[in-house]
Amino acid sequence: MKHYSRREAIITFGIAATSIVAAAAAPAMAAKSTARWWRPTTAMDAMTAIRTRRSVRSFTNEDVSEEQVRALLGAAMSAPSAGNEQPWEFVVVRNKATLGKVGAINRFAQYAASAPLGVLACGNLHWERHKGYWIEDVSAACQNMLLAAHAIGLGAVWTGIYPQTERVEAFRQLVALPEYVVPMALIVVGHPKATPEPEDRFDAARIHRERWQG
Amino acid sequence: MKHYSRREAIITFGIAATSIVAAAAAPAMAAKSTARWWRPTTAMDAMTAIRTRRSVRSFTNEDVSEEQVRALLGAAMSAPSAGNEQPWEFVVVRNKATLGKVGAINRFAQYAASAPLGVLACGNLHWERHKGYWIEDVSAACQNMLLAAHAIGLGAVWTGIYPQTERVEAFRQLVALPEYVVPMALIVVGHPKATPEPEDRFDAARIHRERWQG
């Protein structure tokens, strides 16, 4: 079993930086983006990322780079969605005063005050084509973000907002969202102070064959 | 930019099979599972898996192995959940008669009839500790499953059920779920007939800085 330390991941990510120059010289693949948000990297394989990702709630003082933010958001927007509606919006919060107010809204997310970055993942009801599925779509985007953070050597945690009405309203006010944009989760991100051990949650009792068996 | 063909992924996956023997000889890491559900593999790196995953709706006749099913479910159960409540249940459906009935419930999922596998991802309200968050938890599990499928050379698609009441009831009857178990999505899985090109959905207009900017 191969473990990837945060250090290894960062080194690999750093080395891969040289290839971004070559990538920039190639014809742009995407119409909507002006630069690639990904870099070829072998930092961590997909199954390892899925299996070893844990919630990280304490961070060093190191900043998250703009390139890392792009990687996280690019990953988020790669999620599937009902009818490909892509109903998401993301508010990137670096402002210390704003992050310092999160704990008062959600007492389980006090640590946001000491994180360099929060990404508020929202559903925009104007983009919704299949009613009610935006929650699942935005959740898939959040999971991609968590995995991407882990894969590039960052740490992150999903802090729940929707469907708790008070939290929804408080976050809406915090970043001035209009009525049709619903804050669903705040993904708190930074460089992990420590990397938690993987936890195997495989539970055969949750697996049923062909039909429900208690 | 490195592309991984389905063939390459399968070959790497195949080679990694030898290491499972060594893994089985090592002391078991998990209390709940009797065997590891993952194998060390460098088949596809995490960012590539996230970026190149597409919905796959047409499949070859090849079966999905039990070991692949375990990998998919292990990935699903590695998802984060509100307060680590892990509110999920999975019904593994291989029965052709059952898969053949899916199209009548959801006309956009006719192709399930020609797939070797469907995984019905459900929320069990008895496990729910933080009300209403099970949808987000099960969605994160589904996204892990889609990424894992892609990473090990399979193809998959998320077909929506919840919150459409008729679909929820029809799937509940199809596999005899009790009232407290809510079918959320059917993940249809198989060996892809063709691998769709990656699609770059990065859209800078969905990114806002510090607060909402229309």
Side-chain angles (χ1 to χ4, degrees), chain A residues 199 201 206, chain B residues 32 77 79 81-82 84-88 127 137:
Chain A
E199 180 181 277
R201 301 188 181 123
R206 307 303 184 86
Chain B
K32 283 185 288 190
M77 292 188 257
S81 54
N84 201 20
E85 60 186 19
Q86 304 174 36
W88 39 65
W127 304 125
D137 302 339

Side-chain angles (χ1 to χ4, degrees), chain A residues 88-107:
Chain A
W88 38 66
E89 305 277 357
F90 305 94
V91 185
V92 176
V93 179
R94 291 182 180 276
N95 188 292
K96 281 288 171 195
T98 309
L99 291 169
K101 287 174 188 161
V102 167
I105 301 173
N106 176 1
R107 67 190 173 89

Side-chain angles (χ1 to χ4, degrees), chain A residues 1-2 4 29-30 32-33 35-51 53 55 66 69-81 84-95 98 108 124 127 130-133 135-137 139-141 143-144 146-148 151-152 158 160-164 167 173-178 180-181 184-185 198-212 214, chain B residues 1-2 4 29-30 32-33 35-51 53 55 66 69-81 84-95 98 108 124 127 130-133 135-137 139-141 143-144 146-148 151-152 158 160-164 167 173-178 180-181 184-185 198-212 214:
Chain A
M1 192 175 85
K2 192 166 176 185
Y4 294 83
M29 179 182 149
K32 282 185 287 189
S33 58
R36 286 192 175 152
W37 55 265
W38 73 88
R39 356 165 131 178
T41 163
T42 52
M44 194 183 289
D45 93 272
M47 289 300 284
T48 301
I50 289 170
R51 183 176 60 79
R53 182 216 54 81
S55 297
E66 264 306 298
V69 170
R70 277 179 69 81
L72 299 179
L73 296 174
M77 292 188 256
S78 300
S81 53
N84 200 20
E85 61 187 19
Q86 303 173 36
W88 38 66
E89 305 277 357
F90 305 94
V91 185
V92 176
V93 179
R94 291 182 180 276
N95 188 292
T98 309
F108 299 112
N124 182 336
W127 304 125
H130 299 271
K131 200 157 168 53
Y133 287 105
I135 302 152
E136 295 164 47
D137 301 340
S139 296
Q143 181 60 11
N144 271 4
L146 295 184
L147 291 170
I152 64 176
W158 176 323
I161 300 173
Y162 183 88
Q164 252 179 267
R167 286 191 195 166
Q173 281 187 22
L174 189 67
V175 300
L177 300 175
Y180 58 92
V181 178
M184 197 202 79
E199 180 181 277
D200 189 354
R201 301 188 181 123
F202 191 95
D203 183 358
R206 307 303 184 86
I207 304 172
H208 312 266
R209 298 288 172 166
E210 304 302 342
R211 44 193 286 127
W212 182 258
Chain B
M1 193 173 85
K2 192 166 176 187
Y4 295 84
M29 180 182 150
K32 283 185 288 190
S33 59
R36 285 195 175 148
W37 55 266
W38 72 89
R39 353 166 134 179
T41 164
T42 52
M44 194 183 291
D45 94 273
M47 288 301 283
T48 302
I50 290 171
R51 182 175 62 77
R53 181 215 55 82
S55 298
E66 264 308 296
V69 170
R70 276 179 70 81
L72 298 179
L73 296 173
M77 292 188 257
S78 300
S81 54
N84 201 20
E85 60 186 19
Q86 304 174 36
W88 39 65
E89 304 278 355
F90 305 95
V91 185
V92 176
V93 180
R94 291 181 180 276
N95 187 292
T98 310
F108 300 112
N124 182 337
W127 304 125
H130 299 272
K131 202 161 167 49
Y133 288 104
I135 302 152
E136 296 164 48
D137 302 339
S139 296
Q143 182 59 13
N144 271 4
L146 294 184
L147 291 170
I152 63 176
W158 176 323
I161 299 173
Y162 183 89
Q164 252 179 268
R167 286 191 194 166
Q173 282 189 20
L174 189 66
V175 299
L177 300 175
Y180 59 90
V181 177
M184 197 202 79
E199 179 181 277
D200 189 354
R201 301 187 180 125
F202 191 95
D203 183 358
R206 304 302 183 88
I207 304 171
H208 312 266
R209 297 290 172 165
E210 304 302 342
R211 44 193 285 129
W212 181 258

Side-chain angles (χ1 to χ4, degrees), chain A residues 174-196:
Chain A
L174 189 67
V175 300
L177 300 175
E179 276 305 304
Y180 58 92
V181 178
V182 188
M184 197 202 79
L186 179 72
I187 308 298
V188 180
V189 188
H191 293 264
K193 252 192 188 149
T195 304

